[in-house]
Amino acid sequence: MESPNQSAAQEFIFSAFPYSWGSSVTCFIPLLFIYTFIVIGNLVIITVVQLNAPLHTSMYFFIGTLSFLEIWYTTATIPKMLASLLGEKTISLNGCLLQMYFFHSTGISEVCLLTAMAFDRYLAICSPLHYPTIMTPRLCAQLTLGCCVCGFITPLPEIAWISTLPFCGSNRLEHIFCDFLPVLRLACTDTQAIVMIRVVDTVHAVEIITAVMLIFMSYVGIVAVILRIRSAEGRRKAFSTCVSHITVFLLFFGSVALMYLRFSATYSLFWDTAIALAFAVLSPFFNPIIYSLRNKEMKEAIKKHLGQAKIFFHKTEDLK
C-alpha cells in the first residue's frame, strides 16, 4: 500500500552510470563505436545476403534475419545508454516499460531464431537428400514469423503486470537499462513484487532451458552424423558450417544464463553491469565479425562488393 506521504514515481534514475564528465566520455566513445559497428556490420550482412544469389539459402536467410533483429535489439538500449552518459540519466515509467518490452521481445525472437538455425543445420547435415524439399523458402519464412510472434507476445504479460504496480519512494534504478528485476525491486508492494520476481525467474528459466535443450539435441544428432563421415576433409567441411552458430550461441546464451538463471542469487552492481554489457552490447558486437570473418562465402561476397565499389569510385574520379 502507498502511504499518504509517498508519491508514485513517474521516472527512474539510472544509478549505474558514472557521474564524472571524464568517466562518462571515456565510456561514451567506445560504446558509440561499438553501436555504430553493430549497425553498419549487420546492414552489410543484410545487404550482401540480399544482393548475392548464391547466398539465397535458408542458412543465410536466417543469418540476415538475425542481423536485422540485432540492430533493433541493440537500438532498444544503447542509444539511451549513450544519452544517459552525456545528459540526463532519467527515463519515464512508460519509456522504461517500452524499453523492457522491445529489448526482451527482440531478444526472445533471437533465442527462437538461433534454435531454428540449429534445426536448419541438423536437417542440412543429417538429412542432406531431403533437406532442399523440407527447408523450403516457405518454411523459412514461417519459422522466422513464428520466432518473431513468439518473441513479441511472450513479454507482454510480464510488462502488463509490472505496469499495474505502484512505484514510490526511491526511484534510483541500479542498472544501465530497464530490466525486470531492477524495476521490480523498486515496487512498493513487497509481497507482490517477490511473487513476480519468482514468476519472471521461472518464465526466463523455461525459455532459456527449452532453447538450450533443443539446440543441444540438434547438435548431438549433428555430431553423431559427422563422426560417421570417413574422410577428415568431409568432417571438417560439415563441422565448419556449424562453427559460427555454435560460437554465437555460446557467447549469447552464456551471458544470458548468468543474468536470468540466477534465481535467488544476487550479484554486486559491478557484476550485474558487466553481465548486462556482455549480452546487450558485446555479444551483438561480435556477431557480425563471427558471421563474416568465420564464413568463407560471406567473406568472398563482401570482398566482391568492396571491389565493385572501388571500381565505381575510380571511374567516378576519372570522369571528373
Side-chain angles (χ1 to χ4, degrees):
M1 293 284 295
E2 261 183 80
S3 60
N5 62 347
Q6 287 180 315
S7 58
Q10 293 301 312
E11 67 176 20
F12 299 118
I13 300 171
F14 295 113
S15 61
F17 290 107
Y19 279 84
S20 69
W21 178 253
S23 299
S24 295
V25 172
T26 302
C27 295
F28 178 87
I29 293 171
L31 186 60
L32 178 62
F33 168 78
I34 289 170
Y35 179 61
T36 305
F37 178 84
I38 289 169
V39 173
I40 293 174
N42 283 300
L43 284 175
V44 167
I45 289 173
I46 293 167
T47 305
V48 168
V49 169
Q50 288 295 315
L51 294 179
N52 286 267
L55 300 184
H56 291 175
T57 64
S58 60
M59 183 175 80
Y60 289 105
F61 175 80
F62 287 133
I63 289 173
T65 306
L66 184 68
S67 293
F68 177 78
L69 286 171
E70 287 277 60
I71 292 172
W72 294 108
Y73 174 72
T74 52
T75 300
T77 55
I78 297 181
K80 183 59 183 175
M81 290 186 209
L82 291 168
S84 297
L85 282 167
L86 296 187
E88 290 292 326
K89 295 169 174 54
T90 59
I91 187 169
S92 68
L93 177 58
N94 289 335
C96 191
L97 293 171
L98 282 171
Q99 187 181 67
M100 281 193 292
Y101 174 69
F102 284 108
F103 178 70
H104 282 276
S105 59
T106 51
I108 294 168
S109 298
E110 285 190 29
V111 168
C112 294
L113 193 65
L114 286 169
T115 307
M117 290 169 77
F119 174 66
D120 173 69
R121 291 299 84 209
Y122 173 82
L123 285 177
I125 293 171
C126 299
S127 302
L129 297 178
H130 298 99
Y131 176 71
T133 56
I134 297 173
M135 192 57 72
T136 59
R138 180 184 176 86
L139 181 59
C140 287
Q142 289 172 339
L143 285 171
T144 301
L145 180 62
C147 290
C148 293
V149 169
C150 177
F152 280 82
I153 288 178
T154 303
L156 277 176
E158 295 169 282
I159 298 296
W161 199 0
I162 292 171
S163 68
T164 64
L165 286 176
F167 293 95
C168 50
S170 174
N171 64 343
R172 298 180 68 81
L173 193 67
E174 293 188 344
H175 210 43
I176 52 175
F177 56 84
C178 289
D179 206 356
F180 291 127
L181 296 184
V183 171
L184 284 172
R185 292 191 190 111
L186 300 180
C188 300
T189 51
D190 295 336
T191 304
Q192 190 179 357
I194 289 169
V195 172
M196 286 187 66
I197 288 171
R198 288 175 180 169
V199 170
V200 168
D201 279 343
T202 303
V203 170
H204 288 155
V206 170
E207 291 168 355
I208 295 165
I209 292 171
T210 301
V212 169
M213 289 303 297
L214 289 172
I215 293 171
F216 177 75
M217 287 189 291
S218 296
Y219 276 106
V220 167
I222 289 169
V223 170
V225 170
I226 289 175
L227 292 176
R228 289 201 295 268
I229 298 174
R230 293 182 180 180
S231 69
E233 180 63 19
R235 288 196 296 270
R236 188 193 66 78
K237 283 184 178 179
F239 187 70
S240 66
T241 64
C242 305
V243 170
S244 296
H245 180 266
I246 292 173
T247 307
V248 170
F249 162 71
L250 292 174
L251 186 63
F252 182 68
F253 275 83
S255 52
V256 165
L258 282 173
M259 179 61 78
Y260 296 112
L261 292 183
R262 68 173 78 184
F263 295 104
S264 59
T266 56
Y267 304 137
S268 66
L269 179 59
F270 172 81
W271 286 112
D272 260 348
T273 305
I275 295 168
L277 285 172
F279 68 81
V281 178
L282 294 182
S283 178
F285 172 71
F286 287 115
N287 285 358
I289 300 171
I290 293 166
Y291 279 120
S292 57
L293 298 182
R294 296 283 306 178
N295 189 300
K296 185 180 177 182
E297 290 176 313
M298 187 68 77
K299 278 195 292 186
E300 288 176 353
I302 291 171
K303 285 179 182 177
K304 170 189 165 185
H305 287 287
L306 286 175
Q308 289 174 344
K310 285 180 182 178
I311 292 170
F312 173 78
F313 284 120
H314 282 313
K315 285 183 177 179
T316 305
E317 288 176 3
D318 291 340
L319 288 172
K320 290 179 181 179

mmCIF file of all heavy atoms in Angstrom, residues 239-280:
data_model
loop_
_atom_site.group_PDB
_atom_site.id
_atom_site.type_symbol
_atom_site.label_atom_id
_atom_site.label_comp_id
_atom_site.label_asym_id
_atom_site.label_seq_id
_atom_site.Cartn_x
_atom_site.Cartn_y
_atom_site.Cartn_z
ATOM 1 N N PHE A 239 31.487 -29.752 -40.198
ATOM 2 C CA PHE A 239 31.529 -29.038 -38.922
ATOM 3 C C PHE A 239 31.697 -27.537 -39.127
ATOM 4 O O PHE A 239 31.181 -26.740 -38.333
ATOM 5 C CB PHE A 239 32.668 -29.574 -38.057
ATOM 6 C CG PHE A 239 32.671 -29.013 -36.659
ATOM 7 C CD1 PHE A 239 31.687 -29.368 -35.741
ATOM 8 C CD2 PHE A 239 33.646 -28.099 -36.257
ATOM 9 C CE1 PHE A 239 31.675 -28.844 -34.462
ATOM 10 C CE2 PHE A 239 33.640 -27.568 -34.980
ATOM 11 C CZ PHE A 239 32.655 -27.946 -34.076
ATOM 12 N N SER A 240 32.393 -27.125 -40.199
ATOM 13 C CA SER A 240 32.660 -25.698 -40.436
ATOM 14 C C SER A 240 31.372 -24.914 -40.649
ATOM 15 O O SER A 240 31.305 -23.713 -40.359
ATOM 16 C CB SER A 240 33.585 -25.512 -41.636
ATOM 17 O OG SER A 240 32.933 -25.927 -42.833
ATOM 18 N N THR A 241 30.313 -25.583 -41.151
ATOM 19 C CA THR A 241 29.042 -24.879 -41.372
ATOM 20 C C THR A 241 28.335 -24.574 -40.056
ATOM 21 O O THR A 241 27.402 -23.769 -40.033
ATOM 22 C CB THR A 241 28.095 -25.715 -42.259
ATOM 23 O OG1 THR A 241 27.759 -26.928 -41.577
ATOM 24 C CG2 THR A 241 28.739 -26.042 -43.590
ATOM 25 N N CYS A 242 28.783 -25.216 -38.962
ATOM 26 C CA CYS A 242 28.131 -25.022 -37.666
ATOM 27 C C CYS A 242 28.926 -24.138 -36.707
ATOM 28 O O CYS A 242 28.395 -23.721 -35.675
ATOM 29 C CB CYS A 242 27.910 -26.381 -36.980
ATOM 30 S SG CYS A 242 27.002 -27.571 -37.962
ATOM 31 N N VAL A 243 30.198 -23.880 -37.027
ATOM 32 C CA VAL A 243 31.081 -23.179 -36.084
ATOM 33 C C VAL A 243 30.545 -21.802 -35.707
ATOM 34 O O VAL A 243 30.513 -21.438 -34.530
ATOM 35 C CB VAL A 243 32.513 -23.075 -36.663
ATOM 36 C CG1 VAL A 243 33.373 -22.148 -35.804
ATOM 37 C CG2 VAL A 243 33.158 -24.448 -36.721
ATOM 38 N N SER A 244 30.119 -21.035 -36.707
ATOM 39 C CA SER A 244 29.641 -19.675 -36.433
ATOM 40 C C SER A 244 28.427 -19.707 -35.510
ATOM 41 O O SER A 244 28.340 -18.930 -34.551
ATOM 42 C CB SER A 244 29.278 -18.962 -37.738
ATOM 43 O OG SER A 244 30.418 -18.797 -38.548
ATOM 44 N N HIS A 245 27.502 -20.614 -35.805
ATOM 45 C CA HIS A 245 26.279 -20.712 -34.991
ATOM 46 C C HIS A 245 26.606 -21.121 -33.562
ATOM 47 O O HIS A 245 26.069 -20.552 -32.602
ATOM 48 C CB HIS A 245 25.313 -21.711 -35.621
ATOM 49 C CG HIS A 245 24.038 -21.877 -34.844
ATOM 50 N ND1 HIS A 245 23.859 -22.875 -33.906
ATOM 51 C CD2 HIS A 245 22.893 -21.145 -34.834
ATOM 52 C CE1 HIS A 245 22.657 -22.768 -33.378
ATOM 53 N NE2 HIS A 245 22.048 -21.726 -33.923
ATOM 54 N N ILE A 246 27.495 -22.097 -33.401
ATOM 55 C CA ILE A 246 27.875 -22.553 -32.054
ATOM 56 C C ILE A 246 28.526 -21.418 -31.271
ATOM 57 O O ILE A 246 28.244 -21.216 -30.083
ATOM 58 C CB ILE A 246 28.836 -23.763 -32.134
ATOM 59 C CG1 ILE A 246 28.098 -24.978 -32.696
ATOM 60 C CG2 ILE A 246 29.407 -24.102 -30.763
ATOM 61 C CD1 ILE A 246 28.997 -26.163 -32.982
ATOM 62 N N THR A 247 29.410 -20.653 -31.933
ATOM 63 C CA THR A 247 30.115 -19.546 -31.270
ATOM 64 C C THR A 247 29.131 -18.484 -30.789
ATOM 65 O O THR A 247 29.199 -18.027 -29.647
ATOM 66 C CB THR A 247 31.146 -18.916 -32.228
ATOM 67 O OG1 THR A 247 32.006 -19.934 -32.747
ATOM 68 C CG2 THR A 247 31.985 -17.871 -31.513
ATOM 69 N N VAL A 248 28.203 -18.080 -31.672
ATOM 70 C CA VAL A 248 27.197 -17.077 -31.307
ATOM 71 C C VAL A 248 26.307 -17.604 -30.187
ATOM 72 O O VAL A 248 25.986 -16.885 -29.233
ATOM 73 C CB VAL A 248 26.347 -16.696 -32.541
ATOM 74 C CG1 VAL A 248 25.144 -15.852 -32.138
ATOM 75 C CG2 VAL A 248 27.197 -15.935 -33.557
ATOM 76 N N PHE A 249 25.922 -18.862 -30.288
ATOM 77 C CA PHE A 249 25.070 -19.493 -29.266
ATOM 78 C C PHE A 249 25.739 -19.469 -27.895
ATOM 79 O O PHE A 249 25.134 -19.062 -26.896
ATOM 80 C CB PHE A 249 24.763 -20.934 -29.688
ATOM 81 C CG PHE A 249 24.271 -21.811 -28.575
ATOM 82 C CD1 PHE A 249 23.010 -21.634 -28.035
ATOM 83 C CD2 PHE A 249 25.071 -22.816 -28.058
ATOM 84 C CE1 PHE A 249 22.553 -22.442 -27.000
ATOM 85 C CE2 PHE A 249 24.630 -23.620 -27.031
ATOM 86 C CZ PHE A 249 23.368 -23.440 -26.496
ATOM 87 N N LEU A 250 27.008 -19.878 -27.828
ATOM 88 C CA LEU A 250 27.719 -19.916 -26.545
ATOM 89 C C LEU A 250 27.921 -18.514 -25.978
ATOM 90 O O LEU A 250 27.764 -18.290 -24.774
ATOM 91 C CB LEU A 250 29.070 -20.622 -26.711
ATOM 92 C CG LEU A 250 29.016 -22.118 -27.012
ATOM 93 C CD1 LEU A 250 30.422 -22.655 -27.298
ATOM 94 C CD2 LEU A 250 28.383 -22.885 -25.857
ATOM 95 N N LEU A 251 28.267 -17.573 -26.852
ATOM 96 C CA LEU A 251 28.521 -16.195 -26.413
ATOM 97 C C LEU A 251 27.245 -15.552 -25.860
ATOM 98 O O LEU A 251 27.253 -14.947 -24.777
ATOM 99 C CB LEU A 251 29.054 -15.376 -27.596
ATOM 100 C CG LEU A 251 29.523 -13.943 -27.328
ATOM 101 C CD1 LEU A 251 30.714 -13.946 -26.387
ATOM 102 C CD2 LEU A 251 29.885 -13.254 -28.644
ATOM 103 N N PHE A 252 26.146 -15.708 -26.577
ATOM 104 C CA PHE A 252 24.884 -15.072 -26.182
ATOM 105 C C PHE A 252 24.242 -15.789 -24.993
ATOM 106 O O PHE A 252 23.908 -15.170 -23.980
ATOM 107 C CB PHE A 252 23.925 -15.064 -27.380
ATOM 108 C CG PHE A 252 22.606 -14.387 -27.106
ATOM 109 C CD1 PHE A 252 22.544 -13.017 -26.893
ATOM 110 C CD2 PHE A 252 21.428 -15.110 -27.065
ATOM 111 C CE1 PHE A 252 21.331 -12.384 -26.642
ATOM 112 C CE2 PHE A 252 20.208 -14.490 -26.817
ATOM 113 C CZ PHE A 252 20.165 -13.124 -26.610
ATOM 114 N N PHE A 253 24.098 -17.098 -25.097
ATOM 115 C CA PHE A 253 23.404 -17.841 -24.052
ATOM 116 C C PHE A 253 24.215 -17.910 -22.754
ATOM 117 O O PHE A 253 23.631 -17.988 -21.665
ATOM 118 C CB PHE A 253 23.084 -19.263 -24.523
ATOM 119 C CG PHE A 253 21.806 -19.357 -25.295
ATOM 120 C CD1 PHE A 253 21.781 -19.058 -26.647
ATOM 121 C CD2 PHE A 253 20.629 -19.741 -24.687
ATOM 122 C CE1 PHE A 253 20.614 -19.137 -27.373
ATOM 123 C CE2 PHE A 253 19.438 -19.827 -25.402
ATOM 124 C CZ PHE A 253 19.435 -19.526 -26.749
ATOM 125 N N GLY A 254 25.541 -17.875 -22.861
ATOM 126 C CA GLY A 254 26.364 -17.909 -21.656
ATOM 127 C C GLY A 254 26.097 -16.718 -20.753
ATOM 128 O O GLY A 254 25.843 -16.870 -19.547
ATOM 129 N N SER A 255 26.117 -15.516 -21.345
ATOM 130 C CA SER A 255 25.874 -14.305 -20.547
ATOM 131 C C SER A 255 24.412 -14.179 -20.138
ATOM 132 O O SER A 255 24.103 -13.727 -19.031
ATOM 133 C CB SER A 255 26.318 -13.063 -21.337
ATOM 134 O OG SER A 255 25.733 -13.043 -22.628
ATOM 135 N N VAL A 256 23.487 -14.589 -21.013
ATOM 136 C CA VAL A 256 22.061 -14.536 -20.675
ATOM 137 C C VAL A 256 21.760 -15.463 -19.499
ATOM 138 O O VAL A 256 20.996 -15.116 -18.591
ATOM 139 C CB VAL A 256 21.198 -14.921 -21.906
ATOM 140 C CG1 VAL A 256 19.770 -15.234 -21.494
ATOM 141 C CG2 VAL A 256 21.194 -13.782 -22.924
ATOM 142 N N ALA A 257 22.357 -16.656 -19.513
ATOM 143 C CA ALA A 257 22.127 -17.612 -18.420
ATOM 144 C C ALA A 257 22.638 -17.064 -17.088
ATOM 145 O O ALA A 257 21.989 -17.229 -16.049
ATOM 146 C CB ALA A 257 22.818 -18.941 -18.737
ATOM 147 N N LEU A 258 23.791 -16.389 -17.119
ATOM 148 C CA LEU A 258 24.322 -15.797 -15.882
ATOM 149 C C LEU A 258 23.371 -14.752 -15.301
ATOM 150 O O LEU A 258 23.241 -14.625 -14.085
ATOM 151 C CB LEU A 258 25.690 -15.157 -16.152
ATOM 152 C CG LEU A 258 26.891 -16.095 -16.252
ATOM 153 C CD1 LEU A 258 28.122 -15.318 -16.684
ATOM 154 C CD2 LEU A 258 27.142 -16.791 -14.924
ATOM 155 N N MET A 259 22.691 -14.019 -16.194
ATOM 156 C CA MET A 259 21.797 -12.958 -15.736
ATOM 157 C C MET A 259 20.433 -13.494 -15.312
ATOM 158 O O MET A 259 19.898 -13.106 -14.264
ATOM 159 C CB MET A 259 21.613 -11.912 -16.852
ATOM 160 C CG MET A 259 20.672 -10.779 -16.485
ATOM 161 S SD MET A 259 21.224 -9.805 -15.058
ATOM 162 C CE MET A 259 22.481 -8.776 -15.824
ATOM 163 N N TYR A 260 19.870 -14.404 -16.103
ATOM 164 C CA TYR A 260 18.470 -14.782 -15.886
ATOM 165 C C TYR A 260 18.254 -16.162 -15.270
ATOM 166 O O TYR A 260 17.109 -16.542 -15.017
ATOM 167 C CB TYR A 260 17.702 -14.669 -17.208
ATOM 168 C CG TYR A 260 17.651 -13.259 -17.723
ATOM 169 C CD1 TYR A 260 18.329 -12.899 -18.885
ATOM 170 C CD2 TYR A 260 16.964 -12.273 -17.033
ATOM 171 C CE1 TYR A 260 18.302 -11.600 -19.358
ATOM 172 C CE2 TYR A 260 16.922 -10.971 -17.499
ATOM 173 C CZ TYR A 260 17.593 -10.633 -18.663
ATOM 174 O OH TYR A 260 17.576 -9.341 -19.116
ATOM 175 N N LEU A 261 19.319 -16.915 -15.031
ATOM 176 C CA LEU A 261 19.175 -18.197 -14.342
ATOM 177 C C LEU A 261 19.788 -18.137 -12.947
ATOM 178 O O LEU A 261 20.247 -19.133 -12.415
ATOM 179 C CB LEU A 261 19.838 -19.327 -15.152
ATOM 180 C CG LEU A 261 19.174 -19.690 -16.479
ATOM 181 C CD1 LEU A 261 19.895 -20.862 -17.134
ATOM 182 C CD2 LEU A 261 17.697 -20.026 -16.293
ATOM 183 N N ARG A 262 19.801 -16.958 -12.358
ATOM 184 C CA ARG A 262 20.403 -16.788 -11.035
ATOM 185 C C ARG A 262 19.454 -17.190 -9.911
ATOM 186 O O ARG A 262 19.883 -17.546 -8.829
ATOM 187 C CB ARG A 262 20.822 -15.326 -10.833
ATOM 188 C CG ARG A 262 19.641 -14.377 -10.736
ATOM 189 C CD ARG A 262 20.077 -12.979 -10.366
ATOM 190 N NE ARG A 262 20.635 -12.250 -11.477
ATOM 191 C CZ ARG A 262 21.145 -11.045 -11.346
ATOM 192 N NH1 ARG A 262 21.204 -10.466 -10.160
ATOM 193 N NH2 ARG A 262 21.629 -10.417 -12.390
ATOM 194 N N PHE A 263 18.134 -17.086 -10.164
ATOM 195 C CA PHE A 263 17.093 -17.342 -9.165
ATOM 196 C C PHE A 263 17.333 -16.478 -7.922
ATOM 197 O O PHE A 263 17.288 -15.275 -8.011
ATOM 198 C CB PHE A 263 17.006 -18.835 -8.837
ATOM 199 C CG PHE A 263 16.557 -19.630 -10.028
ATOM 200 C CD1 PHE A 263 17.445 -20.395 -10.772
ATOM 201 C CD2 PHE A 263 15.232 -19.582 -10.430
ATOM 202 C CE1 PHE A 263 17.019 -21.107 -11.876
ATOM 203 C CE2 PHE A 263 14.791 -20.301 -11.536
ATOM 204 C CZ PHE A 263 15.695 -21.053 -12.261
ATOM 205 N N SER A 264 17.634 -17.058 -6.776
ATOM 206 C CA SER A 264 17.754 -16.261 -5.549
ATOM 207 C C SER A 264 19.133 -15.628 -5.388
ATOM 208 O O SER A 264 19.347 -14.818 -4.488
ATOM 209 C CB SER A 264 17.445 -17.126 -4.318
ATOM 210 O OG SER A 264 18.335 -18.226 -4.264
ATOM 211 N N ALA A 265 20.063 -15.984 -6.258
ATOM 212 C CA ALA A 265 21.424 -15.437 -6.150
ATOM 213 C C ALA A 265 21.422 -13.953 -6.517
ATOM 214 O O ALA A 265 20.669 -13.510 -7.386
ATOM 215 C CB ALA A 265 22.376 -16.192 -7.065
ATOM 216 N N THR A 266 22.257 -13.185 -5.834
ATOM 217 C CA THR A 266 22.386 -11.757 -6.140
ATOM 218 C C THR A 266 23.840 -11.438 -6.447
ATOM 219 O O THR A 266 24.752 -12.027 -5.868
ATOM 220 C CB THR A 266 21.915 -10.886 -4.954
ATOM 221 O OG1 THR A 266 22.662 -11.244 -3.778
ATOM 222 C CG2 THR A 266 20.431 -11.082 -4.703
ATOM 223 N N TYR A 267 24.029 -10.484 -7.377
ATOM 224 C CA TYR A 267 25.370 -10.030 -7.741
ATOM 225 C C TYR A 267 25.535 -8.579 -7.300
ATOM 226 O O TYR A 267 24.562 -7.870 -7.075
ATOM 227 C CB TYR A 267 25.595 -10.126 -9.260
ATOM 228 C CG TYR A 267 25.371 -11.484 -9.870
ATOM 229 C CD1 TYR A 267 24.690 -11.625 -11.069
ATOM 230 C CD2 TYR A 267 25.855 -12.641 -9.249
ATOM 231 C CE1 TYR A 267 24.483 -12.864 -11.650
ATOM 232 C CE2 TYR A 267 25.658 -13.892 -9.818
ATOM 233 C CZ TYR A 267 24.968 -13.990 -11.011
ATOM 234 O OH TYR A 267 24.769 -15.235 -11.582
ATOM 235 N N SER A 268 26.783 -8.160 -7.221
ATOM 236 C CA SER A 268 27.048 -6.749 -6.946
ATOM 237 C C SER A 268 26.660 -5.929 -8.167
ATOM 238 O O SER A 268 26.479 -6.467 -9.269
ATOM 239 C CB SER A 268 28.538 -6.552 -6.635
ATOM 240 O OG SER A 268 29.321 -6.823 -7.792
ATOM 241 N N LEU A 269 26.538 -4.615 -7.999
ATOM 242 C CA LEU A 269 26.192 -3.734 -9.110
ATOM 243 C C LEU A 269 27.218 -3.851 -10.229
ATOM 244 O O LEU A 269 26.867 -3.837 -11.415
ATOM 245 C CB LEU A 269 26.099 -2.282 -8.623
ATOM 246 C CG LEU A 269 25.766 -1.221 -9.676
ATOM 247 C CD1 LEU A 269 24.433 -1.515 -10.344
ATOM 248 C CD2 LEU A 269 25.760 0.169 -9.053
ATOM 249 N N PHE A 270 28.497 -4.006 -9.867
ATOM 250 C CA PHE A 270 29.556 -4.139 -10.878
ATOM 251 C C PHE A 270 29.322 -5.362 -11.755
ATOM 252 O O PHE A 270 29.367 -5.281 -12.990
ATOM 253 C CB PHE A 270 30.927 -4.242 -10.193
ATOM 254 C CG PHE A 270 32.043 -4.577 -11.148
ATOM 255 C CD1 PHE A 270 32.614 -3.594 -11.931
ATOM 256 C CD2 PHE A 270 32.501 -5.888 -11.286
ATOM 257 C CE1 PHE A 270 33.645 -3.900 -12.823
ATOM 258 C CE2 PHE A 270 33.512 -6.199 -12.171
ATOM 259 C CZ PHE A 270 34.089 -5.204 -12.945
ATOM 260 N N TRP A 271 29.065 -6.525 -11.134
ATOM 261 C CA TRP A 271 28.880 -7.758 -11.910
ATOM 262 C C TRP A 271 27.570 -7.747 -12.667
ATOM 263 O O TRP A 271 27.491 -8.272 -13.792
ATOM 264 C CB TRP A 271 28.984 -8.984 -11.001
ATOM 265 C CG TRP A 271 30.397 -9.269 -10.600
ATOM 266 C CD1 TRP A 271 30.951 -9.165 -9.367
ATOM 267 C CD2 TRP A 271 31.459 -9.668 -11.475
ATOM 268 N NE1 TRP A 271 32.291 -9.478 -9.407
ATOM 269 C CE2 TRP A 271 32.624 -9.793 -10.692
ATOM 270 C CE3 TRP A 271 31.539 -9.937 -12.840
ATOM 271 C CZ2 TRP A 271 33.851 -10.175 -11.230
ATOM 272 C CZ3 TRP A 271 32.757 -10.324 -13.388
ATOM 273 C CH2 TRP A 271 33.898 -10.442 -12.587
ATOM 274 N N ASP A 272 26.524 -7.166 -12.091
ATOM 275 C CA ASP A 272 25.265 -7.014 -12.818
ATOM 276 C C ASP A 272 25.485 -6.212 -14.106
ATOM 277 O O ASP A 272 24.994 -6.574 -15.181
ATOM 278 C CB ASP A 272 24.229 -6.288 -11.946
ATOM 279 C CG ASP A 272 23.246 -7.252 -11.303
ATOM 280 O OD1 ASP A 272 23.215 -8.430 -11.702
ATOM 281 O OD2 ASP A 272 22.521 -6.836 -10.391
ATOM 282 N N THR A 273 26.226 -5.111 -13.974
ATOM 283 C CA THR A 273 26.506 -4.256 -15.128
ATOM 284 C C THR A 273 27.380 -4.964 -16.148
ATOM 285 O O THR A 273 27.120 -4.898 -17.358
ATOM 286 C CB THR A 273 27.193 -2.949 -14.671
ATOM 287 O OG1 THR A 273 26.388 -2.304 -13.682
ATOM 288 C CG2 THR A 273 27.408 -2.010 -15.843
ATOM 289 N N ALA A 274 28.405 -5.673 -15.682
ATOM 290 C CA ALA A 274 29.319 -6.387 -16.577
ATOM 291 C C ALA A 274 28.581 -7.470 -17.370
ATOM 292 O O ALA A 274 28.768 -7.609 -18.590
ATOM 293 C CB ALA A 274 30.455 -7.007 -15.767
ATOM 294 N N ILE A 275 27.736 -8.234 -16.688
ATOM 295 C CA ILE A 275 26.987 -9.299 -17.365
ATOM 296 C C ILE A 275 25.986 -8.705 -18.355
ATOM 297 O O ILE A 275 25.818 -9.201 -19.479
ATOM 298 C CB ILE A 275 26.263 -10.196 -16.329
ATOM 299 C CG1 ILE A 275 27.286 -10.936 -15.463
ATOM 300 C CG2 ILE A 275 25.358 -11.208 -17.030
ATOM 301 C CD1 ILE A 275 26.690 -11.608 -14.240
ATOM 302 N N ALA A 276 25.321 -7.612 -17.951
ATOM 303 C CA ALA A 276 24.368 -6.950 -18.855
ATOM 304 C C ALA A 276 25.067 -6.440 -20.110
ATOM 305 O O ALA A 276 24.551 -6.579 -21.227
ATOM 306 C CB ALA A 276 23.674 -5.801 -18.127
ATOM 307 N N LEU A 277 26.247 -5.861 -19.956
ATOM 308 C CA LEU A 277 27.015 -5.381 -21.109
ATOM 309 C C LEU A 277 27.423 -6.536 -22.019
ATOM 310 O O LEU A 277 27.482 -6.388 -23.242
ATOM 311 C CB LEU A 277 28.260 -4.622 -20.643
ATOM 312 C CG LEU A 277 28.039 -3.217 -20.086
ATOM 313 C CD1 LEU A 277 29.319 -2.672 -19.482
ATOM 314 C CD2 LEU A 277 27.530 -2.270 -21.180
ATOM 315 N N ALA A 278 27.690 -7.700 -21.414
ATOM 316 C CA ALA A 278 28.120 -8.862 -22.188
ATOM 317 C C ALA A 278 27.047 -9.293 -23.189
ATOM 318 O O ALA A 278 27.338 -9.526 -24.372
ATOM 319 C CB ALA A 278 28.475 -10.020 -21.261
ATOM 320 N N PHE A 279 25.780 -9.412 -22.737
ATOM 321 C CA PHE A 279 24.758 -9.901 -23.668
ATOM 322 C C PHE A 279 24.015 -8.779 -24.400
ATOM 323 O O PHE A 279 23.404 -9.021 -25.438
ATOM 324 C CB PHE A 279 23.760 -10.848 -22.977
ATOM 325 C CG PHE A 279 22.847 -10.219 -21.968
ATOM 326 C CD1 PHE A 279 21.714 -9.537 -22.353
ATOM 327 C CD2 PHE A 279 23.107 -10.339 -20.611
ATOM 328 C CE1 PHE A 279 20.861 -8.971 -21.413
ATOM 329 C CE2 PHE A 279 22.260 -9.780 -19.667
ATOM 330 C CZ PHE A 279 21.131 -9.095 -20.074
ATOM 331 N N ALA A 280 24.069 -7.556 -23.879
ATOM 332 C CA ALA A 280 23.357 -6.450 -24.528
ATOM 333 C C ALA A 280 24.245 -5.669 -25.508
ATOM 334 O O ALA A 280 23.728 -5.028 -26.426
ATOM 335 C CB ALA A 280 22.800 -5.488 -23.485
#
